[in-house]
Amino acid sequence: MKTALHSFPEELNEKANSRIPSFEIHLMHTYRYLDSPGEQPISLNYQNGTVFVSTGLLNIPNRIRWEVKDRFTNPVDQKQYILSVIAENVEREDKTGMDERIRVSITPSEQEDATGLIEGVPGQISGRFHGVSYSLNINDFWQDKVAKRNTTDDKTVWNHYPEGAVYSLSQDEVFFGEVLTGQVLVNILGRKGFGGKRWAVYLDSKLTEESKGRLVSLLLSYHLIETMTRYAEDCDYKNPENTRDACPGVLVVRL
């Protein structure tokens, strides 16, 4: 009996193995950027900020506001940026209810004005950088699974596939690439294991360095939107010890 680990869901394996990604981002204990397969990964010097929960004087559940400021170094222009995130529920214009809104502003650390603004929810975000619009939309998602296969010499292979998804990328409403997500494969005590999230970006045409840097910011913003959504939905900020796995490492509650 043999065990085989795969970096992407079974439905994406053929697509991922038949193409070379334009670049990758690995979200492990350290966040890393790979410009092309085989090259040395570059650290994004990602720093997680303190997560603040603002409850307001009345402590109304659907008015809770989550905020954080993370920092990273964009590997394309080598500049440090601040990702400022606000997750909150806002009232609809027609007064019929509340909608969740998460916004990420991207600001060079030496400036005051944001150079990019991302807004959306997990599965669908849009952003603008100096008048150029980008969007990232999920097309399909697969749960992790184990599949039994028999080889031609009658041996059994247990294939382990991680959860993952495929997203479409658009610039100014024109499709220009895909993003596949899965897991990074690492060696753990001499054995292969899953080590963190893997983003593989496949582009239809060559991008300028400026556009590639914007995509790095877009993907990190999306990951942060997913993270903040999980905190808001699953973390009991009043008693974080009850939901420790769903809460940030540093959490401050304020009025």
Side-chain angles (χ1 to χ4, degrees):
M1 186 178 69
K2 181 181 177 182
T3 299
L5 270 65
H6 303 272
S7 195
F8 293 101
E10 183 178 16
E11 294 79 1
L12 294 178
N13 247 0
E14 184 177 347
K15 177 180 286 192
N17 293 332
S18 63
R19 296 188 293 172
I20 298 175
S22 301
F23 68 88
E24 295 190 22
I25 293 177
H26 294 176
L27 305 173
M28 305 169 63
H29 55 283
T30 59
Y31 292 4
R32 304 185 301 180
Y33 169 89
L34 285 81
D35 196 39
S36 59
E39 289 201 5
Q40 190 70 19
I42 300 172
S43 173
L44 299 177
N45 299 316
Y46 201 93
Q47 302 173 39
N48 293 293
T50 299
V51 178
F52 293 93
V53 182
S54 301
T55 62
L57 291 174
L58 298 179
N59 201 16
I60 302 173
N62 63 2
R63 296 296 177 91
I64 303 301
R65 177 177 171 134
W66 294 72
E67 299 176 66
V68 70
K69 287 186 179 182
D70 288 359
R71 296 173 180 267
F72 77 101
T73 300
N74 195 304
V76 179
D77 61 14
Q78 295 297 311
K79 293 182 180 179
Q80 188 181 68
Y81 289 85
I82 300 170
L83 299 176
S84 302
V85 190
I86 296 176
E88 60 186 343
N89 286 320
V90 295
E91 191 171 21
R92 297 173 188 156
E93 291 185 3
D94 59 7
K95 310 295 183 182
T96 59
M98 307 289 289
D99 285 323
E100 184 181 44
R101 182 177 69 182
I102 306 179
R103 305 182 74 185
V104 184
S105 62
I106 303 163
T107 309
S109 59
E110 74 277 5
Q111 297 181 17
E112 293 184 1
D113 296 331
T115 57
L117 180 64
I118 312 294
E119 187 169 351
V121 293
Q124 181 179 6
I125 63 168
S126 59
R128 293 188 69 82
F129 296 83
H130 297 298
V132 180
S133 65
Y134 295 86
S135 64
L136 179 73
N137 296 285
I138 193 168
N139 293 334
D140 216 336
F141 172 83
W142 295 272
Q143 296 283 357
D144 61 313
K145 70 176 182 181
V146 179
K148 180 182 177 182
R149 299 283 187 273
N150 291 322
T151 63
T152 54
D153 55 356
D154 242 5
K155 292 183 179 179
T156 300
V157 178
W158 291 96
N159 291 275
H160 293 252
Y161 299 96
E163 71 172 28
V166 56
Y167 298 79
S168 60
L169 275 168
S170 298
Q171 178 177 316
D172 290 333
E173 300 184 355
V174 177
F175 173 85
F176 74 99
E178 288 184 322
V179 180
L180 309 186
T181 67
Q183 287 281 316
V184 181
L185 298 183
V186 297
N187 285 316
I188 304 174
L189 298 177
R191 300 183 64 181
K192 276 190 176 181
F194 294 126
K197 198 164 188 177
R198 178 182 179 184
W199 295 76
V201 181
Y202 300 85
L203 304 175
D204 287 350
S205 58
K206 188 173 178 60
L207 284 182
T208 64
E209 290 298 287
E210 183 179 30
S211 294
K212 186 183 288 188
R214 291 172 179 174
L215 281 185
V216 172
S217 296
L218 183 80
L219 293 176
L220 290 177
S221 297
Y222 182 78
H223 175 66
L224 198 45
I225 284 174
E226 284 190 320
T227 302
M228 293 297 283
T229 299
R230 185 175 72 252
Y231 292 161
E233 292 179 351
D234 300 331
C235 176
D236 180 1
Y237 63 87
K238 295 180 181 178
N239 301 287
E241 65 277 2
N242 296 336
T243 52
R244 190 176 303 279
D245 292 341
C247 294
V250 181
L251 177 65
V252 175
V253 180
R254 62 188 181 189
L255 294 179

